[in-house]
Amino acid sequence: MEPFKTLLSTAVPLPIEDVDTDQIIPARFLKATTREGFGQNLFRDWRFGNDGTPKADFVLNNPLYSGNILVAGRNFGCGSSREHAAWAIHDYGFKVVVSSFFADIFRGNALNNGLLPVQVSDAFLHEIFSAIERDPASALRVDLQSQKIEIAGSGAAETFPIDPYKKICLLNGYDDIDYLLSLKETIEKFEQSPDRVTLGL
Amino acid sequence: MGKTIFDKIWDAHVVAPVEGGMDVIYIDRHFIHEVTSPQAFDGLRNRNIGVFRKQQTIATADHNVPTKDQDKPIQEPLSRFQVEKLVENCQDFDIALYGLGHQYQGIVHVIGPELGITRPGMTIVCGDSHTSTHGAFGCIAFGIGTSQVEQVLASQCLIQSRPKRMRITVDGQLQPGVFAKDIILYIIAKLSAAGGTGYFVEYAGSAIRALSMEGRMTICNMSIEMGARGGLVAPDETTFSYIKGRKFAPQGAQWDAALAYWQTLFSDPDAIFDKTYHFNAEDIEPMVTFGTNPGMGIKISEPIPGAAGENTQSFDKSLEYMGLRPGEHLLGKTIQHVFIGSCTNSRIEDLRLVAAYVKGRSKAAHVQAMVVPGSQQVAAQAKSEGIDRILQEAGFDFREPGCSACLGMNEDKIPAGEYCVSTSNRNFEGRQGPGARTILASPLMAAAAAIAGKIVDVRQEPVS
C-alpha cells in the first residue's frame, strides 16, 4: 500500500456525528468486484440527487472547501464492515480522516489502505472545525512519525494515538499479509499443538 | 487472578505477539460471501498462492441474491456477476460453497450455527459486521474488511489488538410480549452507537441465560451496533443441546472431548472487566427506533426525545430524514411496509411467533408485508409446520432466503419516504433504499404493525 509520512493540506469539514459506512458508500455500489473507482460514489446519496445532479448544500460540492484531509464528527465509520468505505475515501483523494472517535472496523480498514485515521479530543476537533469555518483555506499539518496534528495557522497541536505496529506499516507501506505469510512455520506449529489436535479443530 | 471467557479464548488463539502490543491470532472458522470476497481471491491470484486452510473456509451467497425465483438466473447483471464470481472462486480455490440452489444456502450467520459449524471456544470471522452473531455460542466472532479476508484466506490468521472487556448483565424476567430483540435495542439505546467501541462484550445474567440459542444470536448479532468488536454468551446446557446432532457437530469421542473443553469456557468469579453494566429485565418494554442509528431507540410507551447536548445538527438531520418530531409518539404511527427477516431475526422461532400472531387475521390493506426465512433449512422447517400457508393467508409474502431488505442490495427495497417496521439491525439513512424510513423492532412488533397498519404495543394486543 501507499506509505504515509507527512501531509500539509486544507481540509473538508463534515460536522456530522455517527457517519456510517452506508452513507460513505451505499450498498448498491458494493457489487463491484475490483478495488478501483469507488471515489466517484463517495457519499453518493448525500452528494447527488436521484437524477445525478450535485446537491448544492453538501460540502463536497462546495468549491470553498478542498484538500486531502476530511474532518468529521465523532463515531466516524460506524456500521457495516465494508472496506469499500475506506477505498472510496482514499480513491476520492483523502489521505487523512480526523475525528474525535472512530469505529473499530473502519479504523482497521483505513489503516490497511494507507488512509490515516487521526483521533483528537472533542475540544481539539471543535477547534479545527472553528478554524475552518473562520477560514476555509486553513491548513492542517499531520506528521505520522511524531504522531502530531497541527492547525498550521495558529500552531495549536495535539498528538494522536496509533498502534506501533500499524505505524511502522503505514510509514513504510507494508501490508499485514506479507508479515503473516512470513510466519507460516509458526502458524503450522501452533496448529499442531496437542490441545488443538485433541479437540479435532 | 481469574480470567474472563473472552481472555481464555483469545489467549488460546495467540500464535505470536507482535511488537507494540498487537497479536497474531489464529482463526478457526472463516465464513465468506459474494460481496466482500472477490477482491480477496484476486489478491491471492496476484500472489500466486492458494487458500491456506480450505476445510476451515465456508461460503454462501446471501447479500445479493433474489428472494423470488432463485431457481432462475439472477436478473440484475452486477448481482449475477458477483454471485457467479463466488462460484468461480470457490471452484478455483476448492472451497465448500452452499450457494444458490444448495439445500444449506442462506444468510451466512444463520447457516453456520444451524449446521453445527459454529462452536464454543472458536475464533470466527467473516467479511460482514454481523459476524458477532456467532458469539452466542461462546465464540470470539467479529467482522473484517476485504483485505483481512485475503489475509485469513492466505494464512488463517489476523493481526489484531486485544479489545477491552465489558460485561452487560441483564437479570430478572421479561414481561410478556418482550423479547431478545427488545433487550438488545434497550441496551444500545442506553449505551449509544459508540458505547461499546474498543470493547468485547460478555452478556450475562438470568434473563440472558433464559434465552434460547436463537434469542442469544439476536442479541450478539447487534453487538456491532453499539460499536463493540463482538459479543458473546458463555456456553451452557442450552448451547450444548442446540449443537448436538447437527450436520457438522462433533460426534462420539470427539463430542466428549469438545464438551469437556466447552465446560471450561466461563468467566472466573474473580475475573475483572474494564466496564460493567447491569439492567433489570422488568424495565424493558417493546422497543422501537425513531432515528437513523440503532442507538436512537425508545420504549413503545415513550415519546421521541429532544436533542441532547450542544451539537444538535446530527440529531435534527436524523429526525428530518425520518419525518418525525421530538415529543411525537411512535405508537399509532401509520406504516407502509413490514420486513421480517435478516440475520437478526429470521430463524424458525421468529417465524413461529409471527405465524401464531397472524393466524386467522389479515394484514392491513395498505401494508406490504414480507417474510424472508434465514436459510433453506429454516424455510423447509417453516413449510413442514404450515407456517408459509398461515403467513400467506394473512397476506404476507413468504419469500426465499437471503439478506433481502435488510440492506436492499437485491430488488427488495423500501421506497423513499415510506415507513418500514423491520426486524433487521440497521436504520441508517437509505439503508433499505434511498429515502427509506426504517423502524427497527422485534418480530412480534413487526407482525402486529402489519395487521394493524400502524405501530402498536404488542402487550396491549389480543393474542389469538
Side-chain angles (χ1 to χ4, degrees):
Chain A
M1 76 181 163
E2 215 179 290
F4 181 101
K5 289 184 165 49
T6 67
L7 180 65
L8 173 67
S9 170
T10 50
V12 175
L14 187 65
I16 312 274
E17 297 184 343
D18 302 310
V19 173
D20 62 80
T21 53
D22 274 64
Q23 309 316 314
I24 298 172
I25 187 82
R28 62 190 187 277
F29 301 111
L30 305 186
K31 300 184 192 195
T33 52
T34 60
R35 285 169 176 255
E36 285 80 45
F38 286 92
Q40 60 191 352
N41 295 311
L42 174 67
F43 290 118
R44 177 75 200 205
D45 294 329
W46 282 356
R47 229 166 112 199
F48 301 107
N50 288 337
D51 56 357
T53 53
K55 292 182 177 174
D57 63 350
F58 186 62
V59 68
L60 289 184
N61 296 323
N62 187 340
L64 222 53
Y65 302 106
S66 66
N68 304 116
I69 300 177
L70 178 66
V71 185
R74 74 188 315 275
N75 200 27
F76 185 79
C78 62
S80 158
S81 56
R82 59 192 71 167
E83 188 168 327
H84 312 63
W87 297 342
I89 295 170
H90 195 262
D91 186 52
Y92 184 87
F94 293 115
K95 305 298 170 216
V96 171
V97 183
V98 184
S99 181
S100 55
F101 202 80
F102 288 96
D104 239 12
I105 301 178
F106 175 80
R107 177 199 287 276
N109 286 338
L111 289 168
N112 283 336
N113 284 280
L115 176 67
L116 178 63
V118 171
Q119 185 165 309
V120 298
S121 65
D122 285 319
F124 197 67
L125 185 68
H126 184 74
E127 218 178 311
I128 294 175
F129 277 130
S130 300
I132 298 172
E133 203 183 317
R134 281 193 305 270
D135 177 12
S138 295
L140 301 174
R141 182 177 287 114
V142 179
D143 184 274
L144 181 54
Q145 184 57 51
S146 62
Q147 291 174 230
K148 206 166 108 179
I149 175 168
E150 187 189 325
I151 301 175
S154 66
E158 237 185 38
T159 52
F160 59 87
I162 184 168
D163 190 278
Y165 165 79
K166 297 312 282 182
K167 179 175 170 179
I168 294 173
C169 286
L170 215 53
L171 284 170
N172 294 282
Y174 296 157
D175 292 312
D176 276 3
I177 192 167
D178 296 305
Y179 184 90
L180 288 167
L181 287 171
S182 76
L183 289 179
K184 203 161 235 188
E185 267 180 46
T186 313
I187 296 169
E188 281 166 349
K189 206 159 138 219
F190 171 86
E191 289 176 318
Q192 292 312 309
S193 64
D195 292 333
R196 291 193 59 87
V197 173
T198 323
L199 288 173
L201 279 167
Chain B
M1 194 183 68
K3 278 187 182 180
T4 62
I5 171 182
F6 171 78
D7 284 312
K8 289 182 185 180
I9 300 172
W10 186 281
D11 290 342
H13 286 82
V14 174
V15 172
V18 175
E19 197 172 323
M22 295 178 93
D23 288 321
V24 174
I25 56 164
Y26 190 83
I27 304 301
D28 292 313
R29 294 291 180 270
H30 185 199
F31 290 101
I32 59 175
H33 63 84
E34 75 278 19
V35 177
T36 52
S37 63
Q39 296 88 344
F41 281 111
D42 281 342
L44 296 185
R45 283 194 183 89
N46 291 340
R47 289 173 180 273
N48 218 9
I49 58 177
V51 172
F52 187 49
R53 291 293 175 252
K54 304 172 213 181
Q55 261 88 336
Q56 289 163 241
T57 312
I58 307 101
T60 190
D62 57 3
H63 280 64
N64 243 329
V65 303
T67 54
K68 268 257 178 300
D69 299 329
Q70 284 183 348
D71 54 340
K72 301 188 173 51
I74 298 175
Q75 301 246 307
E76 207 280 318
L78 289 178
S79 298
R80 184 173 67 243
F81 183 75
Q82 202 176 50
V83 171
E84 282 169 359
K85 205 89 184 74
L86 180 66
V87 174
E88 183 192 311
N89 283 329
C90 288
Q91 266 164 11
D92 288 353
F93 290 90
D94 196 23
I95 303 297
L97 170 62
Y98 302 127
L100 275 185
H102 196 284
Q103 59 174 325
Y104 297 152
Q105 179 267 342
I107 301 172
V108 64
H109 310 307
V110 175
I111 71 165
E114 73 184 0
L115 288 170
I117 297 173
T118 303
R119 294 175 225 158
M122 283 185 166
T123 48
I124 298 178
V125 299
C126 173
D128 184 88
S129 50
H130 294 108
T131 308
S132 53
T133 308
H134 306 264
F137 289 80
C139 301
I140 292 181
F142 55 93
I144 56 176
T146 301
S147 293
Q148 292 174 308
V149 170
E150 188 182 333
Q151 291 161 21
V152 180
L153 289 173
S155 69
Q156 207 59 32
C157 289
L158 277 175
I159 299 170
Q160 290 282 292
S161 55
R162 185 191 298 240
K164 292 180 282 193
R165 307 140 197 87
M166 180 185 286
R167 183 173 56 199
I168 298 178
T169 306
V170 187
D171 279 323
Q173 203 161 12
L174 291 171
Q175 299 174 39
V178 179
F179 301 92
K181 184 63 168 283
D182 302 302
I183 297 179
I184 189 64
L185 284 175
Y186 179 86
I187 290 172
I188 300 171
K190 290 279 185 194
L191 268 65
S192 89
T197 305
Y199 293 86
F200 199 99
V201 178
E202 179 179 349
Y203 301 98
S206 58
I208 302 294
R209 284 279 140 234
L211 295 173
S212 67
M213 287 314 296
E214 292 190 11
R216 296 176 190 189
M217 282 190 257
T218 296
I219 293 199
C220 292
N221 171 281
M222 289 189 74
S223 304
I224 184 65
E225 307 310 334
M226 50 182 166
R229 185 80 67 84
L232 60 70
V233 177
D236 57 12
E237 280 310 315
T238 306
T239 322
F240 311 143
S241 309
Y242 180 96
I243 299 171
K244 193 158 205 194
R246 293 204 177 251
K247 173 82 184 170
F248 296 110
Q251 292 169 353
Q254 291 238 309
W255 171 265
D256 297 334
L259 187 61
Y261 171 57
W262 298 343
Q263 285 162 337
T264 68
L265 295 173
F266 53 85
S267 290
D268 298 325
D270 58 337
I272 296 190
F273 290 84
D274 299 291
K275 210 177 235 190
T276 60
Y277 291 92
H278 186 273
F279 300 112
N280 294 317
E282 292 83 3
D283 293 338
I284 303 174
E285 288 181 22
M287 296 286 292
V288 282
T289 59
F290 61 88
T292 54
N293 76 56
M296 298 174 81
I298 46 176
K299 295 176 181 179
I300 187 60
S301 62
E302 289 174 335
I304 294 170
E310 282 183 13
N311 181 4
T312 65
Q313 188 181 356
S314 305
F315 188 90
D316 296 340
K317 184 177 192 290
S318 179
L319 253 54
E320 197 191 318
Y321 176 88
M322 290 296 290
L324 298 170
R325 290 179 323 276
E328 199 180 331
H329 278 263
L330 279 169
L331 193 62
K333 179 101 190 147
T334 302
I335 53 103
Q336 292 77 34
H337 299 267
V338 164
F339 169 61
I340 293 165
S342 86
C343 53
T344 317
N345 289 113
S346 65
R347 299 175 180 84
I348 192 65
E349 289 172 13
D350 296 321
L351 300 189
R352 284 176 186 148
L353 196 65
V354 170
Y357 185 87
V358 310
K359 187 170 182 176
R361 298 180 189 178
S362 287
K363 69 165 181 70
H366 68 272
V367 171
Q368 309 271 68
M370 190 168 33
V371 177
V372 181
S375 70
Q376 295 293 338
Q377 291 199 95
V378 170
Q381 179 70 31
K383 285 176 186 168
S384 76
E385 295 179 17
I387 286 174
D388 57 330
R389 263 189 311 98
I390 293 170
L391 293 171
Q392 281 156 351
E393 277 161 21
F396 287 64
D397 189 6
F398 187 82
R399 300 176 75 93
E400 293 157 65
C403 298
S404 184
C406 172
L407 79 165
M409 257 187 105
N410 71 354
E411 306 73 26
D412 308 335
K413 297 184 218 286
I414 304 301
E418 298 192 4
Y419 291 98
C420 178
V421 179
S422 181
T423 68
S424 56
N425 43 62
R426 289 188 175 137
N427 51 349
F428 298 143
E429 279 187 33
R431 173 83 179 175
Q432 296 190 289
R437 292 166 160 169
T438 305
I439 295 171
L440 300 176
S442 76
L444 194 60
M445 283 288 278
I451 302 296
K454 57 187 178 178
I455 295 173
V456 296
D457 184 342
V458 285
R459 298 171 303 169
Q460 323 290 353
E461 295 299 299
V463 182
S464 58

